[in-house]
Amino acid sequence: MSEFNIAVIKGDGIGPEIVDAAILVLDSVAQKYGHKFNYTNVLMGGAAIDAVGEPLPGETIEVCKKSDAVLMGSIGGNTTTSPWYKLPAHLRPEAGLLGIRKALGLFANLRPCLLYPELSGACPLKTEISEKGFDMLIMRELTGGLYFGKRYTEEVDGVMTAVDTLSYNEQEIRRIAVKAFDVARKRRKKVTSVDKANVLDSSRLWRKIVEEVAADYPDVTLEHMLVDNTAMQLVRDPAQFDVMVTENMFGDILSDEASMITGSIGMLPSASLNETKLGLYEPSGGSAPDIAGMDIANPIATILSGAMLLRYSLDMSEEPDAIERAVKKVLSDGYRTGDIMSEGMTKVGCKRMAELIAYNI
Ligand code: IPM
Ligand code: MG
């Protein structure tokens, strides 16, 4: 029997219910394949602010570092009504998430976006586009760029002025490019590097380093695409993309766009990896405070994040395949949460969806 330690950050909003759903499925995997998963709950985000007055307690970082992997739900609340957003920026929920990414060195964020044939009806694109299907992986740089640059707000000659800095060094660009090309080799061997090289210095360096890395991968095709054009191509012809690699903010924005054309952001898992086996796994979507605790959230993104956890941090292959197969089976059996519901299907809640997937492992 193999035993693994998983740190669990349930977080805020729908976080606890979608994480419970993923654990139900992971436990079903453990039972079938003879593993033991030890879960340790740790605090982050709004839940941590309420309990201990800071979004990322030191203990959370310590427990995560000592674990084999971290499973996370979502953090944050309603940015206009929640009292968390009256706090200074470094004490808000999001600072916890950015902080843990930095503390664990999770520079590579993998967001696979694929359109399940069963959900093509939920894709908001025209039928002639959706029927072609698509299967892409967005590789987002996660610990550099604007979200980690120097920022401040000050008065300049009596005028309030806010500054955010976008900076990348060649090492940061090289390591994410290498990850992208490595993954592309196991897929359809195409990398689209997204930048704004017609305007930004950081993008021009990005392009140069990506080209240097590409020279080591003659079997992989590289193309460059400007970010504004990419936003358009994603809805015009998403099937053209295999692996898309891009800087932090572009990846944040484009991955939300890509998720929507899969039918629902509730379907999209993600893995955030560093140079070691340790990774943090979370759904790409947010905490959806408006539907928290109602048992209507879609747990599939978190369940699929659990599959990525098994694959990337615990080096398993049959087990994550079993989770992905079970998700497909439940969808083809016609079960849907509200966000992906369509006529003639059976509507189920968060917990029931997890039970059905666990049953099919
Ligand atoms: C995401 C989220 C976060 C990000 C926020 C909550 C800080 O939008 O994971 O995409 O921008 O990285
Ligand atoms: Mg985002």
Side-chain angles (χ1 to χ4, degrees):
M1 188 182 76
S2 41
E3 196 169 333
F4 299 96
N5 298 319
I6 301 177
V8 176
I9 301 169
K10 292 193 179 184
D12 311 317
I14 58 171
E17 54 204 289
I18 55 180
V19 168
D20 286 345
I23 288 179
L24 196 80
V25 174
L26 286 174
D27 281 342
S28 162
V29 168
Q31 202 180 13
K32 169 147 183 203
Y33 292 88
H35 303 302
K36 184 161 188 281
F37 299 141
N38 305 315
Y39 306 101
T40 308
N41 283 306
V42 284
L43 290 170
M44 200 178 89
I49 296 171
D50 291 346
V52 296
E54 52 175 333
L56 181 59
E59 194 204 335
T60 296
I61 300 176
E62 287 321 305
V63 172
C64 290
K65 278 188 177 163
K66 276 193 248 143
S67 302
D68 296 299
V70 184
L71 177 67
M72 193 194 122
S74 49
I75 52 99
N78 183 313
T79 51
T80 41
T81 57
S82 164
W84 296 328
Y85 296 92
K86 299 211 164 47
L87 296 166
H90 70 283
L91 290 177
R92 292 182 192 172
E94 287 70 15
L97 181 55
L98 296 174
I100 192 103
R101 287 172 179 167
K102 199 67 169 182
L104 303 182
L106 306 170
F107 67 88
N109 183 220
L110 284 62
R111 297 187 166 183
C113 301
L114 73 114
L115 183 63
Y116 287 84
E118 293 83 2
L119 295 186
S120 62
C123 171
L125 302 178
K126 284 194 186 133
T127 318
E128 68 240 43
I129 303 173
S130 64
E131 71 191 5
K132 281 187 11 198
F134 57 83
D135 178 356
M136 71 183 100
L137 185 139
I138 299 183
M139 177 76 72
R140 167 186 174 193
E141 201 292 324
L142 203 59
T143 51
L146 272 173
Y147 297 7
F148 290 92
K150 254 202 201 101
R151 72 175 108 258
Y152 52 89
T153 306
E154 63 178 5
E155 219 175 276
V156 180
D157 298 332
V159 181
M160 284 304 283
T161 306
V163 177
D164 293 286
T165 32
L166 168 45
S167 138
Y168 271 105
N169 67 41
E170 54 183 304
Q171 288 156 350
E172 292 170 312
I173 301 168
R174 187 165 287 112
R175 64 184 183 180
I176 189 79
V178 166
K179 284 258 187 216
F181 280 92
D182 282 345
V183 171
R185 241 182 200 162
K186 297 190 192 138
R187 295 175 45 104
R188 300 195 310 280
K189 299 190 168 48
K190 180 179 172 191
V191 170
T192 305
S193 172
V194 175
D195 63 36
K196 187 73 184 171
N198 52 347
V199 179
L200 303 175
D201 259 35
S202 55
S203 283
R204 284 187 276 267
L205 181 63
W206 180 279
R207 217 175 248 221
K208 176 169 176 280
I209 303 298
V210 169
E211 269 169 16
E212 283 174 20
V213 172
D216 295 333
Y217 297 80
D219 50 323
V220 179
T221 310
L222 167 68
E223 69 173 3
H224 299 286
M225 198 178 275
L226 295 173
V227 62
D228 43 356
N229 182 31
T230 310
M232 183 179 82
Q233 295 297 334
L234 267 174
V235 289
R236 200 189 67 88
D237 177 21
Q240 70 183 288
F241 297 111
D242 178 17
V243 175
M244 184 189 288
V245 62
T246 190
E247 66 91 40
N248 203 343
M249 186 173 72
F250 296 161
D252 186 22
I253 297 169
L254 293 175
S255 61
D256 267 30
E257 184 187 0
S259 75
M260 198 51 229
I261 58 173
T262 68
S264 166
I265 197 165
M267 293 298 298
L268 251 76
S270 88
S272 303
L273 309 175
N274 62 19
E275 304 280 12
T276 74
K277 285 265 163 246
L278 178 63
L280 181 146
Y281 302 83
E282 55 166 325
S284 293
S287 60
D290 49 322
I291 60 163
M294 294 163 72
D295 193 36
I296 58 172
N298 185 349
I300 294 180
T302 319
I303 290 168
L304 292 172
S305 300
M308 292 184 91
L309 181 157
L310 301 182
R311 186 172 287 127
Y312 292 105
S313 283
L314 309 190
D315 267 331
M316 298 178 180
S317 60
E318 260 180 68
E319 294 86 337
D321 287 351
I323 296 182
E324 287 162 1
R325 250 198 329 271
V327 168
K328 285 201 180 114
K329 174 78 169 67
V330 169
L331 290 174
S332 68
D333 286 348
Y335 294 103
R336 302 281 188 275
T337 42
D339 56 323
I340 49 174
M341 183 61 190
S342 59
E343 220 189 298
M345 301 292 130
T346 312
K347 193 165 168 178
V348 295
C350 177
K351 179 144 193 269
R352 184 80 193 117
M353 179 58 96
E355 287 166 355
L356 287 163
I357 294 168
Y359 175 78
N360 278 285
I361 293 295

